[in-house]
């Protein structure tokens, strides 16, 4: 099912980064991926069609499906966004390959203390605090050699730096420089755990 009612921000550029950095994972068994922010499931569907094709793979999507105070979210009916997500991803959930966690990322991280992931993709709360909070909680769950990726590095809220992702991503790059190798910095920022 293709969603034509809601913007597909993933296909504007994010899919190119996914293709570049996740291609080596394609078809591998036992992968564990985590997405903070799932929206209508554009990235979810892409991952299952292109990368998560091996046996015993699991993707966990975390989202509140309530939107935020971002200008682009004001006119969006997020109950409809969740309905579209559920319709598009039902087959993956039914066969146990997709775990949907409806709630805040903080509540997810508090429950997932022993899980380890090959990829953690952060595209949820875009405030500096939100991105930093997600990154700090994500790092211990990242496997050695695993990828930690951030969307919307250059996105600006228009409400000042503390409402933008970049300061948090820059802080992570600095404070975790001995633990994370930066492999991409453009519209997205990607790190590999050392």
């Amino acid at each position: 099912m293709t969603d034509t009612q809601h913007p597909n921000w993933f296909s504007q550029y994010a899919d190119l980064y996914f293709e570049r950095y996740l291609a080596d994972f394609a078809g591998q068994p036992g992968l564990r991926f985590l997405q903070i922010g799932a929206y209508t499931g554009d990235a979810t569907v892409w991952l299952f069609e292109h990368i998560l094709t091996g046996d015993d793979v699991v993707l966990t999507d975390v989202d509140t499906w309530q939107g935020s105070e971002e200008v682009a979210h004001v006119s969006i009916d997020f109950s409809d966004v969740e309905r579209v997500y559920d319709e598009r991803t039902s087959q993956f959930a039914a066969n146990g390959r997709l775990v949907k966690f409806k709630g805040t990322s903080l509540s997810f991280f508090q429950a997932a203390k022993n899980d380890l992931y090959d990829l953690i993709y952060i595209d949820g709360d875009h405030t500096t605090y939100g991105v930093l909070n997600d990154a700090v909680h994500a790092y211990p769950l990242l496997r050695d050699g695993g990828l930690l990726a951030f969307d919307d590095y250059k996105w600006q809220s228009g409400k000042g730096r503390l409402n933008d992702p970049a300061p948090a991503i820059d802080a992570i790059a600095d404070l975790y420089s001995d633990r994370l190798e930066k492999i991409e910095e453009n519209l997205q920022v990607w790190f590999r755990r050392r």
Side-chain angles (χ1 to χ4, degrees), residues 5 12 37 65 78 107 109 150 152 155 166 179 182:
Q5 299 175 340
Q12 291 178 1
W65 283 278
F78 274 86
S107 61
F109 285 125
F150 297 85
D152 295 316
W155 178 85
R179 301 171 185 209
K182 188 189 296 179

Side-chain angles (χ1 to χ4, degrees), residues 33-82:
F33 282 13
L34 170 63
Q35 289 191 114
I36 306 300
Y39 193 56
T40 59
D42 296 311
T44 301
V45 171
W46 190 94
L47 285 168
F48 280 118
E49 289 177 349
H50 296 91
I51 306 300
L52 297 174
T53 57
D55 294 333
D56 190 34
V57 297
V58 177
L59 168 63
T60 301
D61 279 345
V62 178
D63 204 309
T64 61
W65 283 278
Q66 294 178 353
S68 71
E69 295 179 13
E70 294 174 28
V71 173
H73 289 187
V74 171
S75 62
I76 296 174
D77 176 357
F78 274 86
S79 62
D80 190 55
V81 167
E82 183 179 15

Side-chain angles (χ1 to χ4, degrees), residues 56-179:
D56 190 34
V57 297
V58 177
L59 168 63
T60 301
D61 279 345
V62 178
D63 204 309
T64 61
W65 283 278
Q66 294 178 353
S68 71
E69 295 179 13
E70 294 174 28
V71 173
H73 289 187
V74 171
S75 62
I76 296 174
D77 176 357
F78 274 86
S79 62
D80 190 55
V81 167
E82 183 179 15
R83 178 194 59 77
V84 170
Y85 171 88
D86 288 340
E87 287 178 8
R88 296 179 76 203
T89 62
S90 61
Q91 67 192 37
F92 309 120
N95 64 23
R97 296 168 66 207
L98 175 65
V99 175
K100 174 186 174 185
F101 184 96
K102 184 175 180 177
T104 66
S105 56
L106 182 58
S107 61
F108 170 79
F109 285 125
Q110 289 172 339
K113 294 185 184 210
N114 296 318
D115 296 339
L116 289 176
Y117 297 95
D118 301 286
L119 167 73
I120 301 176
Y121 181 63
I122 297 177
D123 186 22
D125 181 343
H126 280 41
T127 65
T128 301
Y129 174 80
V131 174
L132 188 60
N133 194 44
D134 286 346
V136 168
H137 284 91
Y139 177 80
L141 305 183
L142 191 63
R143 292 186 198 278
D144 288 344
L147 299 174
L148 176 63
F150 297 85
D151 193 26
D152 295 316
Y153 179 58
K154 296 185 177 181
W155 178 85
Q156 294 182 336
S157 64
K159 298 178 181 179
R161 291 185 74 241
L162 293 181
N163 291 286
D164 302 342
I169 299 168
D170 290 341
I172 291 297
D174 185 31
L175 299 172
Y176 285 72
S177 60
D178 62 335
R179 301 171 185 209

